[in-house]
Amino acid sequence: MITIALSKGRIFDETLPLLDAAGIVPLENPESSRKLIIGTNRDDVQLIIVRASDVPTYVQYGAADMGVAGRDVLIEHGGSNIYQPLDLEIAKCRLMVAVPEGFDYEGAVRRGARLRVATKYIDSAREHFARKGVHVDLIKLYGSMELAPLVGLADAIVDLVSTGGTLKANKLVAVEHIYDVSSRLIVNQAAYKLKRDSIKPIIDTFSAAIGKQA
Ligand code: PRT
Ligand code: MG
């Protein structure tokens, strides 16, 4: 049996055509089903539905043989035993620093001010500001970072941006780009060796499917 870990929403939706190319069709839609283990048309392949940030954990411990996770999640997770054979180039976005419109970020940095920054991405943010020599107090949040500067919890946020619509709706502007994000296919290293005959063809088909789309 091959177990593939996916999160609901954009990653599931954008992985579906790749699974289809590999002849793998889920028997249920995770958006409407409450099942966490979803069978497929293939007896030897099942999907498990987990939080986006939990995908690397399931793969690291071999509870899933493979999975799809954003580069943001993989950097923050930092786990071992994970092989990353393929950038699927799906669920693309950017990790950015954003501040309220009218906040003089450059000026604050120049003055050496100590900034309060709210984020879910503590490691990525710490590394970014350390590299720039900016003094920050990081405040860990688990979601809706955009709210923090509006209610005085933080001066700035570090968050993912794709269309920019959420920043705009909350009168925030992006002031720095930290890194580009896309989702990667990840594989448990032991599973890759032991189940190579089943896993390798899936990787190859995904790879060809991306090539065709490009
Ligand atoms: O939702 P949950 O708390 O369970 O976890 P999650 O938010 O990590 O999961 P999910 O499914 O929302 O995101 C999974 C992965 O998709 C992330 O790890 C990223 O790699 C990728 N991705 C791509 C994004 C976005 N684009 C994105 N725009 N993840 C989140 N967003 C959010 C962003 O945080 C911000 O709040 O969407 C908002 C901004 O979107 P725009 O289009 O308004 O700029
Ligand atoms: Mg989300």
Side-chain angles (χ1 to χ4, degrees):
M1 177 66 77
I2 298 293
T3 300
I4 305 177
L6 296 173
S7 53
K8 274 197 241 185
R10 69 189 100 222
I11 288 188
F12 185 86
D13 296 346
E14 295 187 43
T15 304
L16 213 47
L18 300 176
L19 290 171
D20 196 68
I24 300 167
V25 181
L27 296 179
E28 277 176 272
N29 175 357
E31 300 299 339
S32 51
S33 169
R34 286 174 186 275
K35 280 195 188 160
L36 299 173
I37 301 179
I38 294 188
T40 71
N41 62 320
R42 276 175 52 171
D43 288 342
D44 64 333
V45 181
Q46 66 180 6
L47 310 180
I48 60 172
I49 306 301
V50 304
R51 284 293 285 266
S53 44
D54 290 335
V55 169
T57 305
Y58 280 87
V59 173
Q60 174 182 3
Y61 289 101
D65 299 299
M66 46 207 301
V68 176
R71 182 172 175 231
D72 51 319
V73 164
L74 292 166
I75 288 174
E76 290 295 315
H77 182 263
S80 50
N81 300 330
I82 295 175
Y83 168 54
Q84 293 186 33
L86 210 52
D87 180 353
L88 299 175
E89 293 185 29
I90 59 171
K92 287 187 176 182
C93 56
R94 296 151 336 261
L95 189 70
M96 312 277 295
V97 181
V99 298
E101 286 172 12
F103 179 84
D104 181 13
Y105 176 74
E106 280 307 321
V109 167
R110 231 181 296 118
R111 287 195 308 278
R114 194 167 186 94
L115 294 175
R116 286 212 298 183
V117 180
T119 187
K120 181 162 128 183
Y121 303 97
I122 293 285
D123 291 348
S124 299
R126 184 183 295 115
E127 203 202 301
H128 171 73
F129 292 112
R131 210 183 316 121
K132 289 200 44 142
V134 176
H135 303 289
V136 291
D137 290 318
L138 296 173
I139 299 173
K140 170 84 182 183
L141 288 179
Y142 291 89
S144 301
M145 271 75 82
E146 294 89 353
L147 178 62
L150 306 183
V151 294
L153 179 63
D155 303 304
I157 62 170
V158 166
D159 194 12
L160 300 174
V161 178
S162 54
T163 62
T166 306
L167 290 183
K168 203 165 178 208
N170 292 292
K171 297 191 161 49
L172 301 170
V173 285
V175 288
E176 265 166 10
H177 173 275
I178 302 181
Y179 54 67
D180 285 325
V181 172
S182 56
S183 284
R184 316 291 156 111
L185 182 67
I186 59 173
V187 182
N188 175 275
Q189 274 172 352
Y192 186 69
K193 289 190 196 114
L194 297 169
K195 302 184 183 178
R196 197 186 156 86
D197 291 351
S198 318
I199 290 177
K200 187 68 169 44
I202 298 177
I203 299 174
D204 291 344
T205 325
F206 277 25
S207 169
I210 298 160
K212 271 184 237 141
Q213 283 165 5

